[in-house]
Amino acid sequence: MYGLAAPFLPALLEERGVASTWTGLIFGIYAFSMVVFSLITGKIVDRVGHGKIMAIGTFVMALSIVSFAAAIYIDENLLIIAFIVALRVLQGGASGLITTTSFSFMTQAYPDDIEQVVAYVEIVVGIGCTAGPVMAPSSTSSLDSSWTFIIFGALMTPSCLFVCCIGKPSDVRKKRERVEAESGTKAAGRDSASSAPDNSVTNLLYIGHDDDESQTKLSVLGKDVTYCQLLCTPRVLFAGLAACVSNFVYSTFEPTLSLRLTEFGMSQTYQGLVIGIIPIFYMLGSILNHWIFPKWIETRVILMTGALILAFSVPLAGPFFEEKNTAAMLAGLVVSGSMLGPMVIPVMAEMMRATKLAFPESNPEQANSLLSAILNCNFGAG
């Protein structure tokens, strides 16, 4: 749903004669709204419930997508700017609710497999980001454009009912632990984790406790941490910066690449295909992350290496070149997309490790919800 706006909004605003400064503001207000709602969600998600918050976020996102259909018929510049800004605030808020809650659920339900689970989720995210620009309206004024948003918004609405039934992450974790105990894989997993370097989250969530009763006791009696404490932890701050840089690279292309491709004489359909290069290779990087970087490599080294490669690949992309060099643009998009996955996937696990080392007596569920909000805020900042 988010990807539908990438090629559509810049073209619509340009057609209406809206200054490009407003285009950047409209894209930026989404991130600001996401940051604000992420911080709120991190504080309340464990009390309100993951399913309820995700259902609210999904409904608001669907509502905002459907409402985009009306923007096509607004001719007055001031009115269309105000209308789209309001919709982007709703979208950003919905994204803050959905994404923060999703990460909180994953960290609590799959604490020892968080990198693998994040990789699966990011592959699905990449599919959506690829399909969005390709399926975006090919015109900014036709009736077909309105129906594109109406149809996709309507299709998203029933998922509100589905996410209400996801249950509690603690129930998912306990069920997995019982299955692992019965199959004997739990002990094997501990052995492999004890011989691995500090790149594993296993046994860090509940240090020194093996049974369900002790784990629950620690979760309840553990001390709550604050956003300030977590942000003052250097490794949490460093990992968050990596997430910020990765999203900065992706979002840099959103308001500029579509207009740049118009100068190349590309139709909006071809623009959607080119914009889809980054999420396509983002998915490939997420899939191959396990093989690209062996487990013995320190996570912070991976994040620094990814940032260094991005520093050289981003200038190759079109918006930074005066000349119309298609080959350089495509190369920049491919390399940039390939490195975004390895920079995003290890971030949450690194934050969780850093938190348990800095605050060993903290309540893991509460801490992980705040970390989810911090991660999403860094995405928004980028």
Side-chain angles (χ1 to χ4, degrees), residues 165-193:
C165 305
I166 61 174
K168 297 180 180 180
S170 58
D171 293 338
V172 176
R173 186 184 68 246
K174 291 175 182 178
K175 182 178 179 180
R176 292 179 65 246
E177 289 173 349
R178 285 196 298 269
V179 172
E180 290 175 353
E182 292 172 0
S183 62
T185 57
K186 186 175 182 181
R190 284 180 183 154
D191 292 338
S192 62

Side-chain angles (χ1 to χ4, degrees), residues 178-255:
R178 285 196 298 269
V179 172
E180 290 175 353
E182 292 172 0
S183 62
T185 57
K186 186 175 182 181
R190 284 180 183 154
D191 292 338
S192 62
S194 62
S195 61
D198 189 31
N199 273 8
S200 174
V201 187
T202 307
N203 292 336
L204 282 178
L205 275 178
Y206 305 100
I207 295 179
H209 298 267
D210 294 326
D211 57 282
D212 289 344
E213 182 178 354
S214 298
Q215 292 178 6
T216 304
K217 183 179 180 181
L218 179 60
S219 177
V220 173
L221 299 180
K223 299 177 181 178
D224 285 354
V225 293
T226 65
Y227 281 125
C228 185
Q229 288 176 310
L230 294 173
L231 290 173
C232 289
T233 305
R235 287 180 64 173
V236 172
L237 197 61
F238 181 84
L241 181 61
C244 180
V245 170
S246 65
N247 224 41
F248 172 80
V249 170
Y250 182 79
S251 61
T252 297
F253 299 117
E254 282 183 339

